[in-house]
Amino acid sequence: MKPDFSKSKNGLLPAIIQDATTKTVLMLGYMNESTYTATLETGKVTFFSRSRHTIWVKGEKSGNFLNLVSLTTDCDNDTLLVRVHPEGPVCHTGTDSCWGESNQSDYGFLSELEQSIRNRKAEPRDNSYISQLYSKGINKIAQKVGEEAVEMVIEAKDSDADLFLNESADLLFHYLILLQAKGFQLQDVVEILKKRNTKL
């Protein structure tokens, strides 16, 4: 639904800019009807500057454009959610977002788990299972993934959901360790899946 610019005295509505992939909120700008239309027509996010009282295309000077993916309004039609693919840093200070946050994909707890695995690889501890597994080398880690995969398949044939889920967790955990051992992370696999998704 088209936004209602008449709800604002100056004809400006707030536009929340969000990375379409990572879901990170990057910045807040303002649009009037002209910049809204320009954004849709050009595919480059265009704002109205309240301080300079002028229209400006984000990235016109820096080259850090915001490429439009989608533009929607909220339930009251007076706030815009603009999903984009950014080219480079968004903030004028050089950071990914205007809140200083890194614009990287976050898989919630899995990202935290990856970081814990990374820490134990970089800073081994005697009482750490992950550190002990890394000390045994890539062959042992790969073997462990194979063992967990077989155990999960066996449980998949039975009807005990609890055992199946626990073996699935073991497999995922050891797979993340193997990825780190090979110098990769979950994001690398996700990128490949995204490319394949276009062929499904």
Side-chain angles (χ1 to χ4, degrees):
M1 187 174 291
K2 188 174 181 180
D4 187 353
F5 292 98
S6 67
K7 285 192 172 184
S8 171
K9 291 182 179 179
N10 56 12
L12 297 177
L13 297 181
I16 301 166
I17 310 302
Q18 180 186 46
D19 189 299
T21 301
T22 66
K23 310 307 179 189
T24 301
V25 175
L26 303 174
M27 66 172 288
L28 175 69
Y30 289 86
M31 289 185 179
N32 58 19
E33 193 162 5
S34 295
T35 57
Y36 170 82
T37 301
T39 297
L40 291 176
E41 290 178 349
T42 66
K44 302 292 184 186
V45 177
T46 306
F47 298 107
F48 186 86
S49 172
R50 294 178 300 166
S51 59
R52 301 192 307 270
H53 303 287
T54 186
I55 293 174
W56 64 288
V57 179
K58 175 64 178 171
E60 59 189 352
K61 293 182 179 179
S62 66
N64 298 329
F65 293 101
L66 298 175
N67 299 305
L68 180 68
V69 174
S70 67
L71 202 163
T72 56
T73 59
D74 70 345
C75 56
D76 292 322
N77 295 325
D78 59 5
T79 301
L80 305 168
L81 177 59
V82 187
R83 292 189 174 95
V84 302
H85 287 146
E87 294 182 25
V90 172
C91 186
H92 69 281
T93 63
T95 58
D96 287 350
S97 80
C98 290
W99 288 270
E101 295 181 345
S102 177
N103 186 23
Q104 295 180 348
S105 293
D106 186 350
Y107 304 105
F109 173 72
L110 287 180
S111 293
E112 295 177 18
L113 182 57
E114 272 197 311
Q115 186 58 52
S116 296
I117 292 170
R118 193 176 297 114
N119 291 343
R120 291 292 71 76
K121 180 183 178 185
E123 301 173 10
R125 292 182 182 177
D126 293 337
N127 61 347
S128 166
Y129 171 78
I130 297 171
S131 297
Q132 292 172 8
L133 193 54
Y134 272 123
S135 70
K136 295 176 182 177
I138 189 70
N139 288 345
K140 182 62 178 178
I141 297 171
Q143 177 187 337
K144 190 64 180 173
V145 172
E147 291 172 1
E148 297 298 345
V150 170
E151 290 174 9
M152 187 197 72
V153 169
I154 292 172
E155 293 304 333
K157 292 182 167 186
D158 294 330
S159 57
D160 191 323
D162 186 58
L163 284 176
F164 171 70
L165 289 175
N166 272 280
E167 292 300 343
S168 297
D170 288 344
L171 175 58
L172 180 56
F173 173 66
H174 287 89
Y175 175 61
L176 291 175
I177 293 175
L178 180 60
L179 277 176
Q180 293 281 339
K182 295 293 291 181
F184 300 108
Q185 55 187 358
L186 190 57
Q187 179 61 30
D188 297 309
V189 179
V190 170
E191 290 302 321
I192 292 174
L193 291 174
K194 285 180 183 177
K195 293 175 183 176
R196 290 181 181 178
N197 188 46
T198 60
K199 301 176 181 178
L200 296 181

